[in-house]
Amino acid sequence: MQRTSPTAANSRNPTPALVLVKDFINTLHTDTGLREDAIETPQGLARWLTERKLLSGRQQLTAGDVAHASAVREAMRDLLAANDGNAVARHALETLSRAARSAQLYVHFEADGRAHLRPGASGVDAALGTLIGRAFEAMGDNSWRRLKSCHESDCR
């Protein structure tokens, strides 16, 4: 399970970008002795994404979508290794880079002068692109550094 370390002023109120990414990473729980994966089926993935307004309409997801989302989740989990001073596995970086390309991420400027990454793709690619964009935002505001992975091998 991922945890947020208390640093900086907003330690009790993590940014929405960080909360969404943390929730996605925590869709897999293995620390209870049981494997609980909220996105292990097409229906579970669709429900999770729809509840967070990352997927619109009634799209039929596939086992391939589940595999893609699970790979992105695990790559994000691996990316957290850098927050503990460890090297990030190359395959995790490649997975996230491929997913960002599939999402067709682009920079969108807001009226208040802020910029965000937005997906140009649709479906699961767009949903995963939104999550990657949120991780990018959390890295930019330094809240990403507060997200750590559990050091227990049965948890991560």
Side-chain angles (χ1 to χ4, degrees):
M1 182 179 299
Q2 307 318 306
R3 56 184 164 61
T4 307
S5 68
T7 58
N10 289 325
S11 64
R12 293 191 180 165
N13 298 313
T15 65
L18 186 62
V19 170
L20 183 63
V21 172
K22 184 176 93 169
D23 287 351
F24 178 64
I25 292 169
N26 282 332
T27 56
L28 176 63
H29 295 278
T30 58
D31 58 339
T32 60
L34 300 173
R35 186 177 192 281
E36 299 174 41
D37 188 345
I39 64 168
E40 73 181 338
T41 65
Q43 298 80 10
L45 176 60
R47 181 175 36 261
W48 194 90
L49 294 173
T50 301
E51 286 173 356
R52 285 149 187 88
K53 297 179 179 29
L54 296 173
L55 192 66
S56 59
R58 295 199 173 274
Q59 297 183 29
Q60 292 293 328
L61 302 188
T62 67
D65 294 325
V66 170
H68 182 42
S70 295
V72 168
R73 176 189 62 202
E74 294 312 304
M76 284 185 167
R77 192 183 300 258
D78 288 348
L79 190 61
L80 294 176
N83 290 345
D84 287 325
N86 300 312
V88 180
R90 183 177 181 93
H91 69 85
L93 301 173
E94 291 169 354
T95 295
L96 292 170
S97 293
R98 266 193 316 275
R101 284 190 302 274
S102 293
Q104 302 169 23
L105 290 177
Y106 66 92
V107 177
H108 175 79
F109 293 92
E110 302 286 342
D112 64 4
R114 292 183 301 150
H116 302 280
L117 288 180
R118 298 282 189 246
S122 61
V124 171
D125 283 333
L128 296 174
T130 298
L131 290 162
I132 291 168
R134 295 286 180 93
F136 182 81
E137 288 175 29
M139 289 172 187
D141 69 15
N142 287 322
S143 63
W144 177 260
R145 308 253 335 128
R146 294 175 35 218
L147 198 59
K148 310 284 184 187
S149 48
C150 181
H151 297 293
E152 298 295 325
S153 62
D154 65 341
C155 178
R156 277 194 65 227

